[in-house]
Amino acid sequence: MFYPPVDKNDTLVLRGFPYQNSDCLNTAFFTNDSLYNYNFIPNPNTPIKYIRVNLQVIQDENGNNNFVENNPDHLHYLNRMFNDTWSGSVNGIFKSLAPPLYQGIVGEYYVEDSRIQFSLENIYFHQDDGGLNDINGLGNHFIFGNYCENNFGINTETEINIFLLPTGYHPNDGSTSISGYGPMGSSNTEPPYIGKVLMYNIFYDYEQTAGGRPWIVNPLIGHELGHVFGFRHTFSGSYPEPPCNISEYNRFYPQLYCPESNLWCSPASDEHCSNNMMGYNANKSWLAPLQIGHLHRVLSSNPVRMRYLNSFPGNSDYNVIISTNTVWDMATVVQGDIIIQPEVTLEITCLLSMLKDTRIIVKPGGKLIVDGGVITNPLGDIWHGIYVEGDRDKPQTFEYQGALILKNGAIIENSKYGVLVRGVNDNWWNNGGIVQANDAIFRNNWRNVSFHSYPDSDAEFSHNNISYFRNCT
């Protein structure tokens, strides 16, 4: 039940949603214009994006040759793959990336924390019916991928399925080496699917090494997830012809290294080897800032890719606290509540995507300004709304009351309550907030704006309400 696009010259139409100021975002999955990726390079205050994944453990037709559900050691190993407190996990790698290393020299392009984490939603166990025998050894990862997705895929629209194949089942018959495959998925199917990862012979490694080698397995999972996000290998062919993946090098220039070997190389000693996650090196522990910016750009502005993201409404672990004056002038997605502290302003001039049931809370004395920006949920879900808190015993001034300022075509849409001028959790003592809207649009909200009781006056001062709506739709 979404409204049709507004016919404006400055409007970008994206899956039925009109966004003004379209130069502030780029929704393309691939772009050779690194300017957009530069703008999305995170800093320590960038909201962390939590990407939903699941593990699909595929046993053979006899229930053998893979991890089993009733073995505590097996479950411990699988859960540790994405443990966010262990530096050796996939999350640990993305949280504490290594500095760039090439020809044994530390490079300059470095962001330690990618602000990307993975939320392991579930681990599923399946017993194949024998169909894997028919495709084993055909030399085609694509066939394996389609088979796994069609027979075992779960929540493929919203979670990256990571399939762990049984020992010995591989496109190259008889191979027991660790390897992976990570196609990107497609936004052109209905419904769109957003990628998957196939991992071969992880259980074989676990058995042969008495507990596995996570320092090899987990960086490789990160490598394959990189493919899902649209990264290609840093090399192309065999060194030195051609010397590296030129298209990838140009896309993230000047931050990737060239020439780049495609051998199983060591960046500490081999002449043409970096530790980039998308290489065939022994580390896979560094992402260039422009690569990280690419992740944040597509997860902030591409609605198909946003479907990866988890939301945590009202969970203080995932809330974004605005404690200094802040401007969001590029597409931003937030997975928890936004809380704007007193005497602080958050200004939005582009696209802010709120995930399901999340809220914005403007504390008394805080201010939210939406200047030509849009606050929405572009996924067909409903976010909760904006709470503008105040102090019912104080006058209508920005010093005492929270404030929401909408102007220049600002849009509030796809929410349950739009704007609530009251305290969170029906706290009547925090009524009295201010809303001033010029040329704003409220649409597809169950309720657009709701004011709650605020005294007219008392013995000390007048409580005239200074909120207004001018030329709004």
Side-chain angles (χ1 to χ4, degrees):
M1 74 180 177
F2 299 120
Y3 286 84
V6 178
D7 185 14
K8 280 188 174 182
N9 292 329
D10 61 351
T11 294
L12 170 69
V13 177
L14 174 62
R15 290 179 65 87
F17 298 102
Y19 296 123
Q20 296 173 305
N21 303 326
S22 60
D23 60 341
C24 72
L25 72 158
N26 185 308
T27 63
F29 194 51
F30 292 104
T31 176
N32 291 323
D33 185 353
S34 63
L35 171 64
Y36 287 103
N37 292 329
Y38 267 115
N39 290 333
F40 284 93
I41 293 174
N43 59 57
N45 296 319
T46 299
I48 295 175
K49 294 178 175 63
Y50 295 86
I51 300 167
R52 289 180 288 208
V53 300
N54 63 53
L55 290 177
Q56 307 277 357
V57 180
I58 316 300
Q59 302 156 356
D60 64 20
E61 67 270 30
N62 298 313
N64 299 323
N65 289 318
N66 216 331
F67 301 97
V68 295
E69 189 172 6
N70 59 0
N71 187 313
D73 292 334
H74 290 184
L75 292 177
H76 176 72
Y77 177 87
L78 295 172
N79 277 292
R80 286 192 86 203
M81 283 183 174
F82 291 94
N83 187 315
D84 58 5
T85 62
W86 176 42
S87 61
S89 71
V90 179
N91 278 334
I93 295 169
F94 275 79
K95 184 177 182 179
S96 298
L97 294 165
L101 193 64
Y102 184 69
Q103 298 180 345
I105 300 173
V106 175
E108 60 179 311
Y109 298 109
Y110 178 48
V111 170
E112 180 179 5
D113 187 351
S114 71
R115 310 299 286 173
I116 297 288
Q117 292 284 275
F118 300 90
S119 173
L120 180 58
E121 300 298 296
N122 214 329
I123 303 174
Y124 302 94
F125 294 84
H126 309 275
Q127 185 171 320
D128 185 56
D129 61 3
L132 281 173
N133 294 318
D134 298 329
I135 61 174
N136 197 31
L138 294 181
N140 193 315
H141 291 284
F142 181 78
I143 293 175
F144 260 79
N146 282 351
Y147 180 86
C148 289
E149 185 167 44
N150 293 335
N151 288 276
F152 310 115
I154 296 175
N155 299 330
T156 57
E157 293 179 60
T158 57
E159 299 171 14
I160 302 174
N161 284 226
I162 301 175
F163 298 97
L164 306 183
L165 275 295
T167 297
Y169 288 82
H170 193 278
N172 300 316
D173 192 22
S175 172
T176 52
S177 61
I178 299 174
S179 61
Y181 171 60
M184 297 182 296
S186 173
S187 60
N188 298 319
T189 60
E190 281 297 336
Y193 74 95
I194 50 181
K196 55 182 173 283
V197 168
L198 274 66
M199 299 299 298
Y200 303 105
N201 299 308
I202 305 302
F203 182 66
Y204 176 82
D205 179 73
Y206 176 86
E207 285 196 311
Q208 295 298 311
T209 60
R213 294 176 294 172
W215 57 92
I216 294 176
V217 172
N218 292 342
L220 181 58
I221 292 175
H223 173 101
E224 300 305 337
L225 287 168
H227 286 314
V228 172
F229 298 135
F231 296 150
R232 305 178 183 95
H233 290 142
T234 52
F235 60 86
S236 180
S238 299
Y239 175 78
E241 294 294 341
C244 58
N245 189 328
I246 296 299
S247 64
E248 201 74 348
Y249 176 72
N250 290 338
R251 184 157 69 125
F252 300 116
Y253 175 85
Q255 297 186 0
L256 293 187
Y257 294 102
C258 185
E260 179 81 277
S261 171
N262 70 332
L263 303 174
W264 185 257
C265 58
S266 171
S269 57
D270 295 353
E271 183 180 6
H272 299 298
C273 183
S274 80
N275 60 341
N276 192 271
M277 191 177 293
M278 301 314 298
Y280 270 9
N281 59 75
N283 296 68
K284 296 184 179 64
S285 55
W286 165 66
L287 285 171
L290 282 173
Q291 290 176 302
I292 302 171
H294 167 88
L295 297 180
H296 282 276
R297 179 181 61 80
V298 298
L299 288 167
S300 298
S301 59
N302 186 303
V304 172
R305 301 296 161 173
M306 278 186 209
R307 293 181 181 276
Y308 290 120
L309 298 177
N310 215 340
S311 56
F312 307 93
N315 188 323
S316 60
D317 292 339
Y318 307 102
N319 290 346
V320 177
I321 309 298
I322 307 298
S323 56
T324 60
N325 291 338
T326 302
V327 177
W328 287 346
D329 56 4
M330 299 298 293
T332 303
V333 60
V334 173
Q335 294 165 265
D337 292 344
I338 299 174
I339 302 174
I340 303 171
Q341 299 286 52
E343 302 180 10
V344 171
T345 298
L346 171 62
E347 183 173 359
I348 296 166
T349 62
C350 189
L351 171 68
L352 170 60
S353 296
M354 302 293 294
L355 298 191
K356 185 177 180 181
D357 295 332
T358 56
R359 307 170 295 182
I360 300 175
I361 302 169
V362 185
K363 290 296 191 180
K367 186 181 294 183
L368 172 62
I369 300 174
V370 186
D371 186 356
V374 180
I375 305 180
T376 187
N377 179 292
L379 304 178
D381 295 322
I382 296 295
W383 62 287
H384 197 78
I386 303 170
Y387 285 84
V388 186
E389 294 191 333
D391 187 331
R392 69 193 302 268
D393 289 334
K394 297 291 177 65
Q396 284 268 288
T397 66
F398 295 121
E399 177 184 4
Y400 297 115
Q401 312 295 348
L404 170 64
I405 310 297
L406 306 172
K407 56 185 178 180
N408 296 324
I411 297 173
I412 307 295
E413 68 177 7
N414 302 337
S415 73
K416 185 174 183 179
Y417 291 118
V419 180
L420 301 95
V421 189
R422 74 174 195 197
V424 175
N425 299 325
D426 296 322
N427 188 339
W428 293 83
W429 293 107
N430 286 125
N431 295 350
I434 300 166
V435 180
Q436 295 181 344
N438 292 278
D439 302 306
I441 298 170
F442 300 83
R443 67 173 170 223
N444 202 34
N445 307 299
W446 181 74
R447 175 180 290 151
N448 288 315
V449 184
S450 175
F451 282 83
H452 291 255
S453 178
Y454 178 64
D456 293 327
S457 63
D458 63 19
E460 297 183 19
F461 46 73
S462 172
H463 281 62
N464 293 326
N465 196 306
I466 63 173
S467 297
Y468 60 76
F469 297 84
R470 296 171 183 164
N471 196 32
C472 295
T473 301

